[in-house]
Every structure is written in C-alpha cells, then in structure tokens.
Amino acid sequence: MRILVATAVPAERDAVARALSGAPVDVLAVGVGPARAAARTAAALATAPYGLVVSAGIAGGFLPDAPVGSLVVADEITAADLGAETADGFVPVTELGFGTVSHHPPEALVRETASATGARTGAVLTVSTVTGTAARAALLRERHPTALAEAMEGFGVAEAAAAKDLPMLEIRAVSNPVGPRDRAAWRIGEALAALTEGFGKLAPVLEGWKPYDR
C-alpha cells in the first residue's frame, strides 16, 4: 500500500521524510491553508493508487492538554471556521443545511498511532486564520471541548482524501500554545524534531496497516 503524507511547507516535509526513508511513502509539501492543501493533495492523489493519506506538520496546542513539543493525533478533523456568524453566534455550515465540517480517521489506526508514538488523541481544528488572542482560544475550546490543536491544512487534505474514498490520518507536533501571538514562545525546531521522532516510531504501523482495518 502506498501512502501520501501531505505537509504544508518544506521544513515539515523534510522532518517527516527523514524518518520514512525507504518506506512506500510519498511526502509532499502541499502549501498553507485548507484550499491549497485540498487542491494540491487532490492533484497528487490522481497520480498513483494510494491507500492512505496523512496530514502532518506542526500546530498550535491548547494548553494544558497539548504542551509544546507534544504529539497530537486527530480522532476528529474539523473545519472550525466554516460556517456563518449570526447574532446568536457562530453556526457551522452543516447547520445551514449543506456541506460537512468534520472527518473521522479510522479508530483502529488512531489507537495504533497513539500507542506507537505516545501522541495525545483529540480533535484537531483546521482554521484559515490562526488564533492570536486568549478570547479566541477560549471560544474555540468552548465550541470544541475535545480540541487539542489547531492547524491550517488537515480539513483540506481530508476533503481530498474523502473525494477518493481514502482513509485519512492527521498528526501534529505542537510548536506553540494556541492563544496570544508570541513568536518568542514558538519552538518550531523542537516541534519538527518531535515530528521526525514520532514518524520514526510510526513507520511500522503505517506500513503494516490495511485499508480494510477501518
């Protein structure tokens, strides 16, 4: 089974590729944001018979559950800002009567990934605008109580995978807390190292997993 791993930027791609050398895996940097990630992933999926799609990279973590340097594996991939603002608050697109806002990776694969890597399991939110205030972070946690991290590509990659009826996984290494934007608190190098280490432990799981284990 061939696997496609989609990252946002080359640094993430290289961190994953270092751990998966020789495995039947293609690691691509598909760009930042859900729309570009969806388009580039869909184009890649048209080129080969993949059996699994993985979105991987760094992310903001919701404290205290996902501290800097930790790994998160998504049991739910949700577009947190796909919908409408109303006088009564945010309404997801599903409540407007169309579309979808969440994808759920195979439960068995999530469990095996968490077991192999020590990753925390919870929702990973996809946003088009990165959270930069404590108020916004609190609001997201109120709407999504199981959220552990936010990033910008997972839902787009999942949409492309779903269009091909392919299973999906999302793995994130936490580089900074979700909340007030403080670049001095970012630990990108530490997160990339955690991503490489995590995929090193995960390689046997990915290579041994079968699509019918959904």
Side-chain angles (χ1 to χ4, degrees), residues 106-211:
E107 292 182 6
L109 184 56
V110 171
R111 286 196 304 271
E112 291 178 26
T113 298
S115 177
T117 64
R120 293 160 169 80
T121 302
V124 175
L125 307 182
T126 299
V127 295
S128 294
T129 301
V130 173
T131 298
T133 66
R136 173 67 175 169
L139 184 60
L140 286 175
R141 282 304 294 270
E142 181 180 350
R143 292 178 186 164
H144 307 280
T146 68
L148 291 182
E150 72 165 26
M152 301 183 75
E153 296 78 32
F155 185 78
V157 175
E159 286 280 272
K164 288 283 191 177
D165 194 30
L166 291 172
M168 165 75 187
L169 186 68
E170 183 170 11
I171 306 166
R172 296 284 171 175
V174 176
S175 60
N176 58 277
V178 176
R181 193 168 174 80
D182 177 12
R183 297 194 66 168
W186 295 0
R187 298 292 182 267
I188 293 176
E190 182 179 335
L192 291 174
L195 197 64
T196 300
E197 181 181 359
F199 268 89
K201 297 175 180 177
L202 184 58
V205 173
L206 294 179
E207 292 180 40
W209 189 77
K210 306 298 182 186

Side-chain angles (χ1 to χ4, degrees), residues 32-76:
V32 175
R36 188 171 180 83
R40 295 285 297 275
T41 301
L45 291 176
T47 66
Y50 291 102
L52 174 67
V53 183
V54 182
S55 177
I58 63 176
F62 288 97
L63 297 177
D65 301 308
V68 171
S70 64
L71 285 177
V72 172
V73 57
D75 59 10
E76 173 189 317

Side-chain angles (χ1 to χ4, degrees), residues 71-90:
L71 285 177
V72 172
V73 57
D75 59 10
E76 173 189 317
I77 302 166
T78 292
D81 49 14
L82 183 59
E85 290 290 350
T86 74
D88 297 319
F90 178 79

